[in-house]
Amino acid sequence: MTTSRQKVLIVPCSGIGKTYGSVSREAAYEVTEALRPDETQLLALSLLVMGDKSSRQTLAESPAITIDGCKLACATKMVQECGGSVAHEFAVLDVYRRYRQFKPLGIADLNPGGLQLARALAEEAALVIDGMLSEETGGQNG
Amino acid sequence: MAETLEFRVDKFTFRVALDRYYTPEGVWAKLEGDWVRIGLSDFLQQRSGDVAFAELKPVGTRLDFGEEFAVIETIKVNISLGSPSAGVIAETNPAMKVEPERINQGPYGDGWLAFVQPDDWETDRLRLLDARAYFERIREQAEEEVHKP
Protein backbone atom coordinates (compact mmCIF):
# COMPACT_ATOMS: atom_id res chain seq x y z
CA MET A 1 0.00 0.00 0.00
CA THR A 2 1.28 3.45 -0.74
CA THR A 3 0.25 6.68 0.91
CA SER A 4 0.47 10.03 -0.79
CA ARG A 5 2.06 12.68 1.34
CA GLN A 6 1.53 16.40 1.07
CA LYS A 7 4.49 18.26 -0.30
CA VAL A 8 5.87 21.34 1.38
CA LEU A 9 5.74 24.33 -0.92
CA ILE A 10 8.84 26.48 -1.25
CA VAL A 11 8.05 30.06 -2.24
CA PRO A 12 11.05 32.35 -2.87
CA CYS A 13 10.70 36.06 -3.50
CA SER A 14 11.00 37.35 -7.04
CA GLY A 15 13.82 39.75 -6.23
CA ILE A 16 14.83 40.16 -9.84
CA GLY A 17 17.92 42.32 -10.15
CA LYS A 18 18.89 42.03 -6.51
CA THR A 19 21.61 39.95 -4.93
CA TYR A 20 19.58 38.80 -1.95
CA GLY A 21 16.66 37.91 -4.21
CA SER A 22 19.00 35.75 -6.26
CA VAL A 23 20.13 34.01 -3.07
CA SER A 24 16.51 33.29 -2.17
CA ARG A 25 15.85 31.69 -5.55
CA GLU A 26 19.08 29.68 -5.53
CA ALA A 27 18.21 28.38 -2.09
CA ALA A 28 14.75 27.39 -3.29
CA TYR A 29 16.23 25.47 -6.23
CA GLU A 30 18.69 23.79 -3.92
CA VAL A 31 15.93 22.55 -1.62
CA THR A 32 13.50 21.45 -4.31
CA GLU A 33 15.98 19.96 -6.77
CA ALA A 34 18.84 18.68 -4.64
CA LEU A 35 18.12 18.37 -0.93
CA ARG A 36 14.45 17.40 -0.64
CA PRO A 37 13.07 16.87 -4.17
CA ASP A 38 10.51 14.27 -3.10
CA GLU A 39 9.16 16.26 -0.19
CA THR A 40 8.92 19.73 -1.69
CA GLN A 41 7.51 21.66 -4.61
CA LEU A 42 8.65 25.02 -5.92
CA LEU A 43 5.87 27.56 -6.27
CA ALA A 44 6.59 30.69 -8.29
CA LEU A 45 5.57 33.89 -6.56
CA SER A 46 4.75 35.47 -9.90
CA LEU A 47 1.97 32.93 -10.46
CA LEU A 48 0.38 33.88 -7.15
CA VAL A 49 0.70 37.55 -8.00
CA MET A 50 -1.00 36.94 -11.35
CA GLY A 51 -3.81 35.07 -9.64
CA ASP A 52 -3.10 31.70 -11.25
CA LYS A 53 -5.91 29.45 -10.04
CA SER A 54 -3.93 26.24 -10.06
CA SER A 55 -1.15 27.75 -7.97
CA ARG A 56 -3.60 29.21 -5.50
CA GLN A 57 -5.31 25.82 -5.22
CA THR A 58 -1.96 24.17 -4.56
CA LEU A 59 -1.26 26.75 -1.91
CA ALA A 60 -4.59 26.12 -0.26
CA GLU A 61 -3.75 22.44 0.13
CA SER A 62 -0.16 22.50 1.40
CA PRO A 63 1.97 24.34 3.94
CA ALA A 64 4.52 26.77 2.58
CA ILE A 65 8.01 27.85 3.49
CA THR A 66 8.78 31.34 2.23
CA ILE A 67 12.23 32.76 1.49
CA ASP A 68 12.44 36.53 1.29
CA GLY A 69 15.37 38.59 0.06
CA CYS A 70 14.47 41.80 1.86
CA LYS A 71 12.37 43.16 4.65
CA LEU A 72 9.47 43.90 2.33
CA ALA A 73 8.86 40.14 2.61
CA CYS A 74 6.85 39.91 -0.61
CA ALA A 75 6.79 36.11 -0.64
CA THR A 76 5.46 35.82 2.89
CA LYS A 77 2.92 38.58 2.42
CA MET A 78 1.66 37.18 -0.87
CA VAL A 79 1.24 33.67 0.52
CA GLN A 80 -0.70 35.08 3.44
CA GLU A 81 -2.77 37.29 1.17
CA CYS A 82 -3.69 34.26 -0.92
CA GLY A 83 -4.92 32.47 2.20
CA GLY A 84 -1.96 30.12 2.36
CA SER A 85 -0.35 28.78 5.48
CA VAL A 86 3.21 29.96 6.12
CA ALA A 87 4.81 27.18 8.14
CA HIS A 88 8.15 28.93 8.29
CA GLU A 89 9.62 32.11 6.84
CA PHE A 90 13.25 32.71 6.06
CA ALA A 91 14.88 36.09 5.45
CA VAL A 92 18.17 35.94 3.57
CA LEU A 93 19.63 38.75 5.66
CA ASP A 94 18.98 36.86 8.91
CA VAL A 95 20.69 33.80 7.50
CA TYR A 96 23.62 35.89 6.31
CA ARG A 97 24.07 37.18 9.86
CA ARG A 98 24.68 33.56 10.88
CA TYR A 99 27.10 32.92 8.00
CA ARG A 100 29.07 36.10 7.63
CA GLN A 101 31.84 34.26 5.81
CA PHE A 102 29.46 33.83 2.85
CA LYS A 103 29.07 37.38 1.60
CA PRO A 104 26.80 37.38 -1.42
CA LEU A 105 27.69 39.47 -4.46
CA GLY A 106 26.45 39.49 -8.03
CA ILE A 107 22.96 39.25 -9.42
CA ALA A 108 22.57 37.10 -12.52
CA ASP A 109 25.59 35.10 -11.44
CA LEU A 110 26.10 34.89 -7.72
CA ASN A 111 29.65 34.76 -6.42
CA PRO A 112 30.84 31.67 -4.51
CA GLY A 113 29.84 33.33 -1.24
CA GLY A 114 26.31 33.83 -2.52
CA LEU A 115 26.03 30.24 -3.64
CA GLN A 116 27.36 29.01 -0.30
CA LEU A 117 24.89 31.22 1.52
CA ALA A 118 22.07 29.81 -0.61
CA ARG A 119 23.26 26.30 0.24
CA ALA A 120 23.37 27.12 3.95
CA LEU A 121 19.86 28.56 3.81
CA ALA A 122 18.66 25.51 1.90
CA GLU A 123 20.13 23.21 4.52
CA GLU A 124 18.32 25.10 7.26
CA ALA A 125 15.12 24.85 5.25
CA ALA A 126 15.64 21.10 4.78
CA LEU A 127 15.81 20.66 8.55
CA VAL A 128 12.60 22.60 8.97
CA ILE A 129 10.96 20.41 6.34
CA ASP A 130 12.16 17.26 8.09
CA GLY A 131 10.65 18.55 11.31
CA MET A 132 7.35 19.34 9.65
CA LEU A 133 7.12 15.93 8.00
CA SER A 134 8.08 14.04 11.10
CA GLU A 135 5.41 15.89 13.04
CA GLU A 136 2.94 14.99 10.33
CA THR A 137 4.00 11.34 10.44
CA GLY A 138 3.87 11.37 14.22
CA GLY A 139 0.41 12.83 14.06
CA GLN A 140 -0.75 10.18 11.61
CA ASN A 141 0.76 7.38 13.66
CA GLY A 142 -0.40 8.78 16.95
CA MET B 1 9.85 60.66 19.30
CA ALA B 2 11.79 63.67 18.09
CA GLU B 3 10.03 66.30 16.02
CA THR B 4 11.06 65.95 12.40
CA LEU B 5 11.20 67.67 9.05
CA GLU B 6 10.01 65.44 6.24
CA PHE B 7 10.07 65.25 2.49
CA ARG B 8 8.98 62.68 0.00
CA VAL B 9 10.79 61.63 -3.16
CA ASP B 10 9.18 58.99 -5.33
CA LYS B 11 7.90 56.35 -2.88
CA PHE B 12 10.33 57.26 -0.10
CA THR B 13 9.71 59.56 2.86
CA PHE B 14 12.81 60.92 4.57
CA ARG B 15 12.83 62.41 8.05
CA VAL B 16 15.32 64.73 9.73
CA ALA B 17 15.11 65.03 13.51
CA LEU B 18 15.16 68.68 14.52
CA ASP B 19 16.85 68.29 17.89
CA ARG B 20 20.35 67.34 16.69
CA TYR B 21 23.23 68.20 14.37
CA TYR B 22 24.54 66.35 11.34
CA THR B 23 27.70 65.67 9.39
CA PRO B 24 27.26 66.15 5.64
CA GLU B 25 27.61 62.36 5.30
CA GLY B 26 24.59 61.77 7.56
CA VAL B 27 25.85 60.99 11.05
CA TRP B 28 23.86 62.82 13.71
CA ALA B 29 25.02 64.12 17.08
CA LYS B 30 22.93 65.17 20.05
CA LEU B 31 24.20 66.55 23.33
CA GLU B 32 22.65 64.71 26.29
CA GLY B 33 24.06 65.88 29.60
CA ASP B 34 27.85 65.76 29.27
CA TRP B 35 27.87 63.19 26.48
CA VAL B 36 27.06 63.30 22.79
CA ARG B 37 24.85 60.55 21.45
CA ILE B 38 25.52 59.63 17.82
CA GLY B 39 23.73 57.66 15.12
CA LEU B 40 22.78 57.48 11.44
CA SER B 41 20.28 59.79 9.80
CA ASP B 42 17.10 58.35 8.33
CA PHE B 43 18.28 59.39 4.88
CA LEU B 44 21.59 57.59 5.21
CA GLN B 45 20.02 54.40 6.56
CA GLN B 46 17.36 54.27 3.86
CA ARG B 47 19.85 54.99 1.12
CA SER B 48 22.25 52.35 2.40
CA GLY B 49 19.72 49.55 2.79
CA ASP B 50 19.12 46.87 5.41
CA VAL B 51 21.95 46.69 7.91
CA ALA B 52 23.60 43.29 8.26
CA PHE B 53 26.36 44.17 10.71
CA ALA B 54 27.41 47.18 12.75
CA GLU B 55 30.92 47.18 14.15
CA LEU B 56 31.72 49.90 16.64
CA LYS B 57 35.08 50.90 18.06
CA PRO B 58 35.27 49.87 21.72
CA VAL B 59 34.52 52.02 24.73
CA GLY B 60 37.58 54.05 25.65
CA THR B 61 38.65 54.67 22.05
CA ARG B 62 39.87 58.21 21.49
CA LEU B 63 38.51 59.85 18.36
CA ASP B 64 39.40 62.93 16.41
CA PHE B 65 36.60 64.83 14.72
CA GLY B 66 35.70 62.88 11.58
CA GLU B 67 37.69 59.79 12.57
CA GLU B 68 36.08 56.42 11.92
CA PHE B 69 34.11 55.16 14.91
CA ALA B 70 32.03 52.46 13.20
CA VAL B 71 31.70 50.42 10.04
CA ILE B 72 28.25 49.43 8.86
CA GLU B 73 27.72 46.60 6.41
CA THR B 74 24.39 46.68 4.62
CA ILE B 75 22.96 44.57 1.82
CA LYS B 76 24.29 47.20 -0.60
CA VAL B 77 27.45 48.78 0.79
CA ASN B 78 30.02 48.97 3.54
CA ILE B 79 30.14 52.43 5.09
CA SER B 80 32.84 53.90 7.26
CA LEU B 81 31.30 56.39 9.70
CA GLY B 82 33.23 59.41 10.88
CA SER B 83 32.67 60.77 14.35
CA PRO B 84 30.81 64.09 14.63
CA SER B 85 32.65 64.83 17.83
CA ALA B 86 36.22 64.57 19.07
CA GLY B 87 36.53 62.77 22.35
CA VAL B 88 36.37 59.32 23.88
CA ILE B 89 33.76 56.65 23.23
CA ALA B 90 31.95 56.39 26.55
CA GLU B 91 29.27 53.84 25.68
CA THR B 92 28.14 51.79 22.69
CA ASN B 93 24.65 50.53 21.99
CA PRO B 94 24.74 46.84 23.02
CA ALA B 95 21.84 46.09 20.67
CA MET B 96 24.13 46.64 17.70
CA LYS B 97 25.78 43.25 18.27
CA VAL B 98 22.55 41.29 18.02
CA GLU B 99 19.98 43.54 16.36
CA PRO B 100 21.75 45.96 14.02
CA GLU B 101 18.49 46.23 12.09
CA ARG B 102 17.45 48.71 14.78
CA ILE B 103 19.37 51.27 12.75
CA ASN B 104 16.78 50.80 10.01
CA GLN B 105 13.84 50.56 12.37
CA GLY B 106 14.63 53.58 14.53
CA PRO B 107 17.58 55.65 13.36
CA TYR B 108 16.77 58.48 15.78
CA GLY B 109 15.69 56.20 18.63
CA ASP B 110 16.69 52.62 19.47
CA GLY B 111 19.10 52.56 16.55
CA TRP B 112 21.61 54.96 18.11
CA LEU B 113 25.23 53.84 17.92
CA ALA B 114 27.36 55.33 20.67
CA PHE B 115 27.95 58.04 23.24
CA VAL B 116 31.07 60.13 23.01
CA GLN B 117 32.47 62.13 25.87
CA PRO B 118 33.42 65.23 23.90
CA ASP B 119 36.56 67.26 24.31
CA ASP B 120 34.88 70.44 23.15
CA TRP B 121 31.31 70.08 21.93
CA GLU B 122 30.82 73.75 21.17
CA THR B 123 33.70 73.67 18.68
CA ASP B 124 32.42 70.43 17.11
CA ARG B 125 28.89 71.79 16.85
CA LEU B 126 30.07 74.71 14.74
CA ARG B 127 31.51 72.25 12.21
CA LEU B 128 28.19 70.40 11.85
CA LEU B 129 25.00 71.18 9.96
CA ASP B 130 21.87 72.03 11.87
CA ALA B 131 18.75 70.03 11.02
CA ARG B 132 17.40 72.55 8.51
CA ALA B 133 20.67 72.84 6.63
CA TYR B 134 21.02 69.06 6.50
CA PHE B 135 17.40 68.76 5.39
CA GLU B 136 17.96 71.11 2.45
CA ARG B 137 21.15 69.33 1.51
CA ILE B 138 19.64 65.83 1.36
CA ARG B 139 16.46 67.03 -0.31
CA GLU B 140 18.48 68.45 -3.19
CA GLN B 141 20.59 65.31 -3.29
CA ALA B 142 17.57 63.00 -3.35
CA GLU B 143 15.82 65.00 -6.06
CA GLU B 144 18.94 65.05 -8.20
CA GLU B 145 19.27 61.30 -7.88
CA VAL B 146 15.67 60.58 -8.72
CA HIS B 147 15.83 62.75 -11.83
CA LYS B 148 19.06 61.22 -13.13
CA PRO B 149 18.52 59.91 -16.65
Side-chain angles (χ1 to χ4, degrees), chain A residues 88-137:
Chain A
H88 194 94
E89 49 187 281
F90 284 97
V92 176
L93 185 58
D94 291 339
V95 179
Y96 175 48
R97 288 191 180 119
R98 294 194 284 276
Y99 300 94
R100 192 173 185 182
Q101 68 274 30
F102 303 148
K103 183 173 175 57
L105 293 169
I107 298 168
D109 295 310
L110 284 173
N111 69 335
L115 294 172
Q116 286 171 298
L117 182 62
R119 174 81 189 187
L121 198 164
E123 283 171 356
E124 288 193 9
L127 291 177
V128 170
I129 292 159
D130 293 346
M132 288 166 66
L133 295 178
S134 70
E135 270 178 29
E136 188 184 295
T137 308

Side-chain angles (χ1 to χ4, degrees), chain B residues 7 12 32 34-36 38 41-42 47 54 64-65 77 82 84 90 102-103 110 120 124 127 135:
Chain B
F7 69 97
F12 302 100
E32 295 184 17
D34 293 334
W35 290 358
V36 176
I38 56 186
S41 74
D42 179 46
R47 197 176 181 208
D64 287 332
F65 183 93
V77 289
R102 287 196 191 188
I103 293 172
D110 283 356
D120 181 355
D124 294 335
R127 299 171 73 176
F135 178 80

Side-chain angles (χ1 to χ4, degrees), chain B residues 58-123:
Chain B
V59 169
T61 303
R62 168 152 286 286
L63 300 166
D64 287 332
F65 183 93
E67 186 176 346
E68 179 183 282
F69 73 95
V71 175
I72 304 290
E73 179 180 338
T74 77
I75 60 170
K76 297 178 186 169
V77 289
N78 287 359
I79 326 168
S80 165
L81 301 174
S83 177
S85 180
V88 175
I89 297 180
E91 186 180 333
T92 56
N93 185 347
M96 289 300 119
K97 285 187 180 162
V98 285
E99 294 177 89
E101 63 268 31
R102 287 196 191 188
I103 293 172
N104 300 114
Q105 294 160 354
Y108 299 127
D110 283 356
W112 63 277
L113 296 175
F115 275 107
V116 170
Q117 187 167 15
D119 295 336
D120 181 355
W121 168 245
E122 282 310 308
T123 301

Side-chain angles (χ1 to χ4, degrees), chain A residues 16-77:
Chain A
I16 303 294
K18 292 184 175 158
T19 301
Y20 282 61
S22 295
V23 173
S24 80
R25 286 194 307 283
E26 283 297 331
Y29 298 147
E30 188 72 21
V31 176
T32 55
E33 294 173 6
L35 297 181
R36 297 293 183 273
D38 297 330
E39 293 87 0
T40 59
Q41 179 183 337
L42 184 68
L43 186 62
L45 182 63
S46 53
L47 291 174
L48 294 178
V49 173
M50 288 166 62
D52 178 69
K53 281 185 184 169
S54 166
S55 298
R56 289 194 176 212
Q57 184 60 37
T58 303
L59 187 63
E61 293 165 356
S62 302
I65 290 178
T66 56
I67 308 174
D68 280 297
C70 76
K71 65 183 175 188
L72 294 176
C74 297
T76 301
K77 284 180 187 164

Side-chain angles (χ1 to χ4, degrees), chain A residues 18 72, chain B residues 8-14 46 146:
Chain A
K18 292 184 175 158
L72 294 176
Chain B
R8 194 178 165 87
V9 174
D10 196 13
K11 61 185 176 186
F12 302 100
T13 300
F14 299 105
Q46 287 199 55
V146 87

